[in-house]
Amino acid sequence: MKYLETSQIIPSKGMSYTMYEIEGEDQILRMLTYIPDTDEIHVYPKPPVKKLYKPELCKPVEDLVFTELWKLGEERKKG
C-alpha cells in the first residue's frame, strides 16, 4: 500500500490536497480531499476514479497522515 498526494489552489478556499490510497502501480482504493484553511475533509470510500492518472506527478504522503484525516472525515460524516 502506498499513499500519494496532489495539490491545487481553490479560489477563496486556499490549498486543496487530494490524497490517494494506492494498491499496485496506480489502483485507487480510497481517496480524500482536505482543505486546511476551511477545515474541510471529504472522504471517498468508493472513489469515482479507480486508476490514478500520472502517478509520477504525485508526491508521497505518510500513511499516518492519510489514516488520521480519513478517520476525522468519517467521524464528521456521521456527526
Side-chain angles (χ1 to χ4, degrees), residues 3-7 17-18 20 55-62:
Y3 299 87
L4 299 174
E5 166 186 274
T6 59
S7 58
Y17 300 92
T18 302
Y20 306 92
E56 66 274 8
L57 297 180
C58 299
K59 71 176 202 175
V61 67
E62 293 292 323

Side-chain angles (χ1 to χ4, degrees), residues 4-32:
L4 299 174
E5 166 186 274
T6 59
S7 58
Q8 67 181 22
I9 294 175
I10 304 287
S12 76
K13 288 192 175 192
M15 286 301 289
S16 170
Y17 300 92
T18 302
M19 298 177 194
Y20 306 92
E21 182 179 61
I22 304 293
E23 186 175 67
E25 282 301 304
D26 57 8
Q27 197 69 31
I28 301 171
L29 299 180
R30 300 186 294 175
M31 65 183 267
L32 65 85

Side-chain angles (χ1 to χ4, degrees), residues 13-71:
K13 288 192 175 192
M15 286 301 289
S16 170
Y17 300 92
T18 302
M19 298 177 194
Y20 306 92
E21 182 179 61
I22 304 293
E23 186 175 67
E25 282 301 304
D26 57 8
Q27 197 69 31
I28 301 171
L29 299 180
R30 300 186 294 175
M31 65 183 267
L32 65 85
T33 302
Y34 175 49
I35 306 171
D37 291 349
T38 59
D39 198 30
E40 290 179 55
I41 302 173
H42 303 278
V43 295
Y44 303 93
K46 295 180 181 166
V49 178
K50 302 291 183 208
K51 189 172 179 165
L52 187 61
Y53 178 71
K54 294 206 176 203
E56 66 274 8
L57 297 180
C58 299
K59 71 176 202 175
V61 67
E62 293 292 323
D63 58 346
L64 185 62
V65 172
F66 183 94
T67 53
E68 289 298 312
L69 284 171
W70 185 270
K71 192 164 55 172

